[in-house]
């Protein structure tokens, strides 16, 4: 199984295929972190390794939201995917004595971790769970926006702003309340 480490950022994927663990031989490539870049990564990986997608194991760091679309794309293509806690990767880098912090070096550390630690395979959440999480997050965000509008209203009343401003704040609050109830 070919191991490919990916250092992910908002705009790019620094990818490294660890060809030979003991000899530290590797091939690297940068792809954009876009749907087209994800497909290019798959094409590059199969071409470089000579392996089918199902024989590829992609290792990536959990990076807030930036890894999610890639993890889904790779999983849906049939590849094995592991999403690793950043603290585990930092500890692994320290254990290797790695002090350099570059995207290419990070992708090497991630690939090395995958080759030596056999991280568990990532499984996407069921669609219903993802949908519910998104609805809850949106609901909480709307509630926070409502509280901000209440704070603005209180400040506006104390500072005696114009009626137009008061009306605007009250209108926004009512719209947010209606959206909260809808959610």
């Amino acid at each position: 199984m070919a191991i490919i480490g990916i250092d992910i950022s908002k705009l790019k994927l620094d990818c490294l295929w660890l060809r030979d663990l003991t000899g530290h031989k590797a091939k690297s490539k940068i792809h954009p972190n876009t749907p087209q870049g994800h497909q290019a990564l798959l094409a590059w990986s199969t071409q470089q390794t000579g392996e089918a997608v199902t024989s590829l194991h992609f290792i990536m760091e959990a990076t807030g939201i930036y890894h999610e679309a890639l993890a889904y794309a790779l999983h849906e293509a049939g590849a094995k995917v592991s999403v690793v806690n950043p603290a585990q990767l930092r500890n692994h880098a320290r254990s290797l004595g790695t002090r350099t912090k570059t995207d290419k070096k990070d992708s090497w550390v991630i690939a090395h971790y995958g080759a030596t630690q056999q991280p568990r395979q990532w499984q996407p959440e069921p669609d219903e769970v993802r949908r519910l999480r998104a609805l809850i997050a949106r609901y909480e965000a709307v509630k926070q926006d409502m509280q901000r509008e209440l704070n603005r209203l209180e400040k506006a009343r104390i500072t005696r702003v114009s009626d137009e401003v008061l009306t605007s704040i009250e209108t926004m609050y009512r719209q947010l309340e209606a959206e909260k109830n809808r959610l």
Side-chain angles (χ1 to χ4, degrees), residues 111-166:
H112 188 274
Y113 180 88
T116 59
Q117 304 303 309
Q118 292 88 36
R120 69 180 174 86
Q121 190 169 343
W122 173 83
Q123 291 294 320
E125 293 177 320
D127 288 340
E128 303 82 29
V129 173
R130 282 184 58 78
R131 183 175 176 270
L132 184 57
R133 281 188 200 276
L135 284 169
I136 291 170
R138 181 63 189 151
Y139 179 83
E140 292 300 323
V142 169
K143 279 180 36 180
Q144 290 175 354
D145 289 343
M146 288 175 66
Q147 185 59 54
R148 278 192 278 276
E149 288 301 317
L150 281 176
N151 294 345
R152 287 182 186 112
L153 185 59
E154 180 182 0
K155 182 179 175 185
R157 286 181 177 149
I158 290 171
T159 58
R160 298 185 194 177
V161 298
S162 68
D163 287 342
E164 291 88 4
V165 171
L166 285 172

Side-chain angles (χ1 to χ4, degrees), residues 34-50:
T34 63
Q36 297 81 11
H38 302 164
Q39 293 308 307
L41 166 60
L42 281 164
W44 174 81
S45 300
T46 56
Q47 179 199 15
Q48 290 298 313
T49 65

